[in-house]
Amino acid sequence: MIQFILMVNKQGQTRLSSYYNWLSMSSRVALESECIRRCLSRSELQCSFLEFRGYKITYRRYASLFFIVGTDGEEENELGMLEFIHTLVETLDKYFESVCELDIMFNLEKAHFILDEMVMNGMVVETNKANILRP
C-alpha cells in the first residue's frame, strides 16, 4: 500500500505531498526532509529504490522534479511503482501540456485532483489517462 507521495524540486523543496496514513506534522516534516535528502544525494548511476524507516522508497527524476513514492514493507512491486510514477507524469503532462514545477505550484488543487483520481486510500485505482482527465 502506498503510504505517501511527494513531488520535490532539485533544491529539496516539497511542491506536493499526499499521505495515506495519519502522521503528525512533526513526523511528516522529519520524514520528508530525511527522505528527500537521501533521494537527492544519490547519483544517477544508483538504482531508484531504497529502504528507509520501514518504507520502500521508489523515486524518479523528471526534468526539475523528483517524484517520490513511499510504500510499506514487502507488499508493493517496485517496478509497478516506477510505472505508476511514469503514468502520473504522463497524465500531468497531458493536462498541463508539458508540465513543469510552476504548473504544480500554481495549480496545486488540480494536481491533487489528478492524484486523487489515480490513488485512493493508498491503492492505485486508475491508470487510464483518458478516464483520469475526463471531466
Side-chain angles (χ1 to χ4, degrees):
M1 186 170 107
I2 297 174
Q3 299 296 317
F4 59 88
I5 298 173
L6 305 172
M7 290 184 202
V8 180
N9 68 7
K10 288 191 285 188
Q11 289 77 35
Q13 298 166 321
T14 303
R15 295 303 179 201
L16 180 142
S17 66
S18 187
Y19 289 85
Y20 299 100
N21 279 334
W22 188 86
L23 287 174
S24 66
M25 264 327 256
S26 59
S27 298
R28 286 183 184 196
V29 170
L31 176 70
E32 281 183 29
S33 63
E34 200 169 331
C35 181
I36 291 168
R37 189 171 34 254
R38 286 186 184 220
C39 290
L40 268 60
S41 66
R42 294 170 65 92
S43 74
E44 290 184 17
L45 300 176
Q46 292 177 299
C47 71
S48 296
F49 315 112
L50 61 111
E51 291 192 17
F52 167 71
R53 283 195 190 178
Y55 297 110
K56 279 190 178 178
I57 308 296
T58 305
Y59 70 95
R60 183 96 189 249
R61 179 179 170 199
Y62 286 93
S64 64
L65 286 174
F66 281 84
F67 292 79
I68 303 170
V69 176
T71 58
D72 54 3
E74 299 293 323
E75 296 179 17
E76 293 293 334
N77 182 346
E78 294 92 347
L79 294 177
M81 286 299 110
L82 268 181
E83 186 64 29
F84 164 73
I85 292 171
H86 186 69
T87 303
L88 174 61
V89 171
E90 284 182 335
T91 305
L92 291 170
D93 201 45
K94 187 174 181 180
Y95 179 78
F96 291 114
E97 298 171 1
S98 185
V99 67
C100 67
E101 183 181 349
L102 292 175
D103 292 325
I104 301 297
M105 289 174 56
F106 293 126
N107 300 293
L108 188 61
E109 186 174 308
K110 186 58 184 176
H112 271 286
F113 286 152
I114 291 171
L115 187 58
D116 289 343
E117 285 289 324
M118 296 180 76
V119 180
M120 185 179 295
N121 292 329
M123 302 297 281
V124 178
V125 292
E126 185 64 69
T127 56
N128 186 326
K129 292 182 266 312
N131 288 344
I132 294 166
L133 297 176
R134 184 174 292 143

